Amino acid sequence: MRKFALPIVATTCLAFAALGCKSTPAPTSENKPAPEPTGPRVYATNEVSGDLTIIDIGTAQNIANVHLGKRPRGIHASADGKQLYIALSGTPIAGPGVDESTLPPPDHSADGIAIFDLATRKIVRTIPGGSDPENFDVSKDGKKLFISNEDISAVSIIDIESGTVEKSFKIGSEPEGVKVSPDGKEVWVTSEGTGEVSVLDPEKGKIIATIKVGHRPRNIAFLPDGKTAFVNAENDGNVVVVDVTKHKMTKTIKLGEPGVIKPMYVLLSPDASKLYVSTGRGKKVFAINTKDDSILGSVEVGQRPWGMALSPDEKTLFTANGPSNDVSFVDLASFTVTHKAKASGGPWGLVALP
């Protein structure tokens, strides 16, 4: 009688027939996670959740939330585009109508400017930013930061390489927006509480002018020739036009009813032909013709839009919508919202990079 040996696999299956025999499929490409997109990104600081949202522009998808620290707000890219500078503050958030005496004391150990490496997605260094840093701008040579210190009504000059505060100047109450003039010779800082802009001459090391601009100014945009500046006046529903040479307000552009339309952030188009204005509780972004200061139109973008940025290809405007925790994509050709990407808790500032 001849005997035949069964293959090992068949024998095993027969032996365990009662239990069932299943082979494990080899991994396939379907089981592998999709590669992360490598296109342009928009980065959003989240004031409430304390992190940075990274959004792929091509897919309008949130691809990461990276922890930063307490209350990240102002954000700018380094000159080489490899790092982000982000203002952190340990001062508790005090929204409209909040009694600040009921809030916990500030944690000034959390104050600083985080230097965030884009390749590793890590904070590589944190340098001093003065007390309660909110917003800032970078010098033309990329070596210094000019920072608004909200709680002490001051503006500070920080040397990035050494990480030292070179000098601090007292200005009007609740400073926020900071903008270096196109020629780099002046630094303008808005003060919400006193309704003015302080003009700092960094070479002379002193405040050389104070300009009254209306109620609760927050941000500044200069035309490229450096002769004209636009400043929002949140509680007036206006954008103010300022003669830079004379340091004097020359005109107001009314966007809507005060208290309903609340201009928050101003941003020029790349060719400087249009000024975009986010309006907070007004939910809209307005477009203004900078040649004659006429209003070209508006689009509703989301809940309380604040910070804005333009895509590297200059075709899309992004808005940070705090209460709804998302970032809107506005197609500038049609001036319509095409996408919304989820952020984390309370998106505040935006930067878009290739």
Side-chain angles (χ1 to χ4, degrees), residues 68-137:
L68 294 173
K70 292 185 178 180
R71 206 178 176 189
R73 288 179 288 177
I75 178 172
H76 287 276
S78 61
D80 60 10
K82 295 181 179 180
Q83 296 178 325
L84 296 175
Y85 304 129
I86 301 167
L88 304 175
S89 171
T91 298
I93 299 172
V98 172
D99 181 359
E100 295 189 24
S101 66
T102 64
L103 297 174
D107 174 15
H108 288 303
S109 68
D111 293 347
I113 304 297
I115 301 179
F116 183 87
D117 181 71
L118 290 169
T120 61
R121 294 183 185 171
K122 293 181 179 179
I123 293 175
V124 294
R125 188 172 163 224
T126 300
I127 61 175
S131 180
D132 186 22
E134 177 168 7
N135 215 335
F136 60 95
D137 203 0

Side-chain angles (χ1 to χ4, degrees), residues 192-247:
E192 299 173 60
T194 44
E196 61 193 18
V197 172
S198 296
V199 181
L200 167 67
D201 183 326
E203 287 296 321
K204 294 180 179 178
K206 65 179 182 179
I207 302 296
I208 59 172
T210 301
I211 311 164
K212 289 291 184 181
V213 291
H215 296 90
R216 294 194 77 79
R218 289 183 180 268
N219 282 283
I220 304 143
F222 288 100
L223 286 179
D225 63 7
K227 295 179 180 179
T228 303
F230 299 94
V231 183
N232 74 300
E234 180 191 351
N235 286 357
D236 299 332
N238 295 336
V239 170
V240 173
V241 184
V242 180
D243 183 309
V244 174
T245 303
K246 297 179 179 178
H247 293 147

Side-chain angles (χ1 to χ4, degrees), residues 23 230 269 328:
S23 59
F230 299 94
S269 64
S328 293

